[in-house]
């Protein structure tokens, strides 16, 4: 290390970078061990990160949620700098869930702390957890943010190490499951503590008095790499207009955007996009930017670090009061119903400029989110949330993954966890044959899950619950994930109560014996299905992804029904006569 000009040689820099990543990932891993809610332990709906002393994002967790991480990168810079550096104290811990400053809805609660070294703050560590309950009404048809739960402004959770018990008590009385809330908040504090201690250890080991010099080196190098990637795109302005369906009887939502590529800069503009609406799918600027950034970063340089340097070349404008830059007090609880589509919209805009760098529409866009609330037979309330994926869109080189939660990067909650946390019984969970969009590369397969509230058919006993409510935040019921470059659309999603279509925009009430079917969409295909390798179709039929009938109809491939083997001669003849 050359301490005279604060530059780091490449080997030292790589070692320090890997250590920084491992520190955040260790903090991240502690959440899995200590969090109370299955949404955090199993579905991984949280993000850990830390910044330099100026609030610039330096490292985020490897398994972070892009919407939270991208929004935090913008929000933490503002929050950190809202307090003079000299006013921070050792032992301070802050809490905030302001949707417009951070990740877009009240359930995403941020806990953050200054990291002190040799008596001064040298960095900040933060984590955002999606708390299963933050009070309020859980449906997506609320008309403003006041109905959606408890709004926590920037407040000290700990003041020089002393817990603000009045604040914690106030929050406890506003949530349905106070024990889970307490455990998850403590998990956040612990995650930040681990990050702080490991950063201090690294600074002691390396003889560093500040992290800012190292941050500058990492951020500057990252920016150079990101700009090199952007320069590979042909300069120009690329436009896209899309429609996001309105849930229930809500009107559709038009989205307009242009992506301007100018050398090493990209600017995305949403002029002409729908105004904000009177239900909970409005998106704050930070959350919109997060998924715009994700599209460009993942498409053109997925391997470089994500930090302030990767953000700098990508700018965005969106009209205030639009659905992608809503203003207070808009309802935002279900912001992912619109926000998750931003990645796909940017992909569509750049399709002609970079066809090999994008994917078709995905059935996990938006994430299929279900919030359950009920009580056990003894009257004790329970409240849980699961995230379900659909078939991922295909790319120029690969079939789409099955059951992917894209672009949100969450995980599917195991059946055993849902059943242990609630009174609900999962009767089946399976892939849906023929749901993936046909293409040279096939879209990922969709999935269905059927749950039942016990107590039907005269069943009695201590396990019979009362009424259970379900709130749905999802999409793809009207418009399926689209195929691209000749690929076909994936299947549509469905939401059924006792075999009949149910309204996903409000609350669904389940009485004992009711069955709810959650059916996720399949991913769109990429390229002409008649160009798909016949052996790949044979394998799809063998695995049950594609039926024999659809193999012939969609792919021009003949599969013998008895042996499930490819008939190449008849396949070639059928394809020639296409």
């Amino acid at each position: 290390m050359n301490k005279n000009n604060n530059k780091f040689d490449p080997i030292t820099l790589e070692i320090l970078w890997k250590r920084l990543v491992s520190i955040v990932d260790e903090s991240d891993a502690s959440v899995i061990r200590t969090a109370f809610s299955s949404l955090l332990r199993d579905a991984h709906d949280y993000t850990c990160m830390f910044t330099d002393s100026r609030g610039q994002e330096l490292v985020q967790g490897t398994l972070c949620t892009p919407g939270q991480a991208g929004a935090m990168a913008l929000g933490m810079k503002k929050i950190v700098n809202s307090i003079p550096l000299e006013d921070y104290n050792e032992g301070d811990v802050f809490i905030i869930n302001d949707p417009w400053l951070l990740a877009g809805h009240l359930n995403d609660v941020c806990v953050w702390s200054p990291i002190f070294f040799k008596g001064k703050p040298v960095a900040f560590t933060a984590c955002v957890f999606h708390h299963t309950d933050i009070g309020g009404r859980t449906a997506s048809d609320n008309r403003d943010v006041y109905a959606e739960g408890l709004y926590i402004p920037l407040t000290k959770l700990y003041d020089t190490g002393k817990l603000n018990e009045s604040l914690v008590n106030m929050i406890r009385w506003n949530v349905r499951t106070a024990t889970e809330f307490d455990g998850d908040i403590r998990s956040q504090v612990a995650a930040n503590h681990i990050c702080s201690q490991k950063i201090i250890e690294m600074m002691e080991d390396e003889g560093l008095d500040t992290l800012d010099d190292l941050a500058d080196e990492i951020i500057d190098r990252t920016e150079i790499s990101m700009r090199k990637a952007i320069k590979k795109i042909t300069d120009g302005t690329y436009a896209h207009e899309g429609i996001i369906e309105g849930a229930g009887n809500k009107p559709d939502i038009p989205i307009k955007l242009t992506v301007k590529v100018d050398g090493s800069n990209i600017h995305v503009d949403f002029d002409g996009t729908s105004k904000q609406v009177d239900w909970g799918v409005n998106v704050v600027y930070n959350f919109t930017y997060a998924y715009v950034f994700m599209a460009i970063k993942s498409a053109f340089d997925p391997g470089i670090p994500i930090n302030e340097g990767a953000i700098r070349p990508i700018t965005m404008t969106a009209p205030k009061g639009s659905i992608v830059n809503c203003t207070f007090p808009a309802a935002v609880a279900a912001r992912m119903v619109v926000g998750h589509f931003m990645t796909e919209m940017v992909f569509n805009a750049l399709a002609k400029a970079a066809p090999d760098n994008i994917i078709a529409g995905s059935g996990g866009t938006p994430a299929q989110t279900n919030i359950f609330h009920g009580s056990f037979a003894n009257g004790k309330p329970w409240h849980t949330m699961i995230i379900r994926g659909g078939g991922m869109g295909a790319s120029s080189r690969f079939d789409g993954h099955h059951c992917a939660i894209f672009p949100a990067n969450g995980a599917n909650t195991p059946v055993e966890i849902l059943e242990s946390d609630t009174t609900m019984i999962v009767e089946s969970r399976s892939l849906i044959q023929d749901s993936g969009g046909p293409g040279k590369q096939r879209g990922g397969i969709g999935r269905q899950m059927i749950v039942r509230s016990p107590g039907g058919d005269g069943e009695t006993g201590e396990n019979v619950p009362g009424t259970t409510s379900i709130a749905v935040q999802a999409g793809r019921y009207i418009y399926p994930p689209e195929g691209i470059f000749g690929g076909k659309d994936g299947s549509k999603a469905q939401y059924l109560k006792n075999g009949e279509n149910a309204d996903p925009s409000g609350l669904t009430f389940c009485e004992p014996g009711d069955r709810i079917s959650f059916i996720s969409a399949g991913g769109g295909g990429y390229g002409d299905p008649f160009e798909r390798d016949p052996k790949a179709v044979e394998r799809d039929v063998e695995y049950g992804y594609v039926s024999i009938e659809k193999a012939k109809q969609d792919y021009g491939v003949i599969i013998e029904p008895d042996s499930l083997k490819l008939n190449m001669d008849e396949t070639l003849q059928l394809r020639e006569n296409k």
Side-chain angles (χ1 to χ4, degrees):
M1 188 190 310
N2 183 345
K3 294 186 178 181
N4 294 325
N5 57 11
N6 294 322
K7 295 294 182 181
F8 299 81
D9 66 80
I11 294 176
T12 300
L13 185 63
E14 180 68 10
I15 291 171
L16 292 178
W17 169 250
K18 294 295 186 184
R19 186 167 182 177
L20 291 174
V21 172
S22 71
I23 288 171
V24 181
D25 284 348
E26 185 171 349
S27 172
D28 185 293
S30 75
V31 178
I32 298 173
R33 296 193 299 269
T34 61
F36 278 42
S37 300
S38 64
L39 182 66
L40 304 169
R41 296 190 319 266
D42 304 298
H44 208 280
D45 197 349
Y46 66 91
T47 293
C48 299
M49 64 172 287
F50 71 88
T51 77
D52 63 14
S53 69
R54 298 154 295 190
Q56 297 183 123
E57 182 188 19
L58 185 54
V59 186
Q60 60 182 229
T62 303
L63 297 177
C64 71
T65 300
Q68 293 173 342
M72 288 173 70
L74 301 183
M76 284 304 299
K77 192 187 301 184
K78 293 180 181 179
I79 295 170
V80 162
N81 290 301
S82 69
I83 300 172
L85 206 58
E86 60 271 16
D87 287 351
Y88 288 104
N89 303 300
E90 288 195 62
D92 284 349
V93 178
F94 296 85
I95 186 171
I96 183 173
N97 74 340
D98 182 342
W100 281 266
L101 272 176
L102 282 164
H105 67 176
L106 297 174
N107 294 80
D108 278 348
V109 179
C110 179
V111 173
W112 60 279
S113 315
I115 300 175
F116 271 77
F117 184 61
K118 295 183 178 180
K120 62 179 181 179
V122 294
F124 295 87
T125 176
C127 56
V128 163
F129 283 17
H130 184 141
H131 286 255
T132 302
D133 183 45
I134 196 66
R137 184 172 177 273
T138 58
S140 60
D141 60 350
N142 293 315
R143 298 179 66 87
D144 57 44
V145 73
Y146 298 115
E148 295 178 332
L150 187 64
Y151 198 121
I152 307 170
L154 182 59
T155 310
K156 280 189 179 181
L157 181 62
Y158 287 82
D159 188 353
T160 59
K162 183 178 181 181
L163 177 64
N164 186 342
E165 294 186 9
S166 296
L167 172 65
V168 173
N169 194 44
M170 184 270 293
I171 297 173
R172 284 176 55 87
W173 280 98
N174 280 274
V175 299
R176 297 169 179 85
T177 48
T179 300
E180 285 78 1
F181 179 86
D182 279 351
D184 292 339
I185 285 290
R186 292 177 183 276
S187 177
Q188 289 185 265
V189 174
N192 286 341
H193 178 72
I194 289 171
C195 185
S196 297
Q197 292 302 110
K198 295 300 180 180
I199 289 294
I200 292 169
E201 288 177 13
M202 187 196 79
M203 294 181 70
E204 290 174 340
D205 291 346
E206 299 296 331
L208 300 174
D209 293 324
T210 177
L211 271 184
D212 289 350
D213 295 335
L214 177 60
D216 286 341
E217 189 77 13
I218 291 171
I219 289 169
D220 289 346
R221 286 173 178 263
T222 302
E223 181 179 359
I224 291 170
S225 296
M226 192 70 202
R227 291 189 180 281
K228 285 181 179 179
I230 293 172
K231 283 183 178 180
K232 297 176 183 177
I233 311 170
T234 303
D235 283 3
T237 299
Y238 305 95
H240 177 70
E241 295 186 19
I243 295 291
I244 299 173
E245 66 193 50
N249 60 357
K250 304 291 192 302
D252 289 342
I253 300 165
I255 304 291
K256 293 184 178 180
L257 72 154
T258 57
V259 181
K260 183 179 180 181
V261 182
D262 182 12
S264 65
N265 294 293
I266 286 184
H267 181 74
V268 179
D269 181 55
F270 284 92
D271 186 45
T273 285
S274 167
K275 293 182 179 179
Q276 65 190 55
V277 296
D278 62 354
W279 59 296
V281 296
N282 299 292
V283 191
V284 303
Y285 180 96
N286 285 2
F287 197 76
T288 298
Y289 180 87
Y291 282 110
V292 165
F293 168 77
M294 182 198 172
I296 296 167
K297 171 68 172 63
S298 61
F300 299 106
D301 202 340
I304 67 169
I306 301 177
N307 55 48
E308 171 74 16
I311 293 169
R312 287 175 180 171
I314 303 168
T315 57
M316 186 186 88
T317 51
K320 284 189 176 181
S322 67
I323 200 160
V324 293
N325 186 14
C326 65
T327 56
F328 181 87
V332 291
R335 88 285 196 230
M336 27 70 65
V337 171
V338 170
H340 285 179
F341 276 96
M342 296 306 103
T343 297
E344 182 176 309
M345 298 282 181
V346 173
F347 282 164
N348 287 337
L350 292 172
K352 292 183 179 179
D356 290 335
N357 296 72
I358 64 168
I359 65 172
S362 294
T365 304
Q368 311 290 299
T369 302
N370 310 128
I371 305 166
F372 299 81
H373 175 59
S375 60
F376 295 102
N378 62 7
K380 181 182 178 182
W382 55 261
H383 187 89
T384 196
M385 174 177 167
I386 63 171
I387 307 173
R388 295 177 295 105
M392 193 167 176
S395 70
S396 63
R397 296 180 293 278
F398 300 104
D399 293 340
H401 294 292
H402 309 323
C403 303
I405 300 171
F406 178 86
N409 196 35
N412 291 285
T413 302
V415 167
E416 296 83 358
I417 297 299
L418 177 61
E419 291 187 334
S420 66
D421 287 350
T422 74
T423 57
M424 304 302 285
I425 296 171
V426 180
E427 292 195 334
S428 69
R429 192 167 79 169
S430 59
L431 296 177
I432 304 171
Q433 190 177 63
D434 295 327
S435 57
K440 183 177 181 180
Q441 304 295 341
R442 174 188 38 73
I445 306 301
R447 190 191 74 174
Q448 73 169 354
M449 181 174 74
I450 301 174
V451 301
R452 177 173 61 88
S453 181
D457 301 323
E459 180 183 353
T460 60
E462 62 180 13
N463 293 324
V464 176
T467 301
T468 298
S469 68
I470 301 176
V472 176
Q473 299 173 4
R476 302 291 198 186
Y477 300 110
I478 300 172
Y479 306 122
E482 295 181 349
I484 197 167
F485 299 123
K488 306 302 181 184
D489 297 347
S491 64
K492 291 189 287 188
Q494 290 182 280
Y495 176 54
L496 308 174
K497 178 181 177 180
N498 296 326
E500 302 290 335
N501 286 325
D503 182 2
S505 66
L507 289 174
T508 300
F509 294 100
C510 302
E511 302 301 332
D514 284 342
R515 285 177 172 81
I516 305 295
S517 299
F518 303 99
I519 300 173
S520 301
Y526 189 112
D528 184 352
F530 271 57
E531 294 181 7
R532 184 167 177 78
D533 181 355
K535 295 294 290 184
V537 179
E538 179 187 51
R539 186 169 58 252
D540 287 343
V541 172
E542 178 187 356
Y543 291 169
Y545 302 154
V546 176
S547 66
I548 292 175
E549 296 75 21
K550 288 294 185 180
K552 178 179 179 180
Q553 178 182 325
D554 293 335
Y555 294 97
V557 172
I558 304 299
I559 302 295
E560 298 293 348
D562 294 331
S563 64
L564 298 185
K565 296 299 182 183
L566 169 68
N567 187 322
M568 183 62 81
D569 291 338
E570 291 188 18
T571 294
L572 293 176
Q573 184 178 2
L574 178 59
R575 287 188 166 188
E576 287 174 1
N577 295 329
K578 175 185 175 183

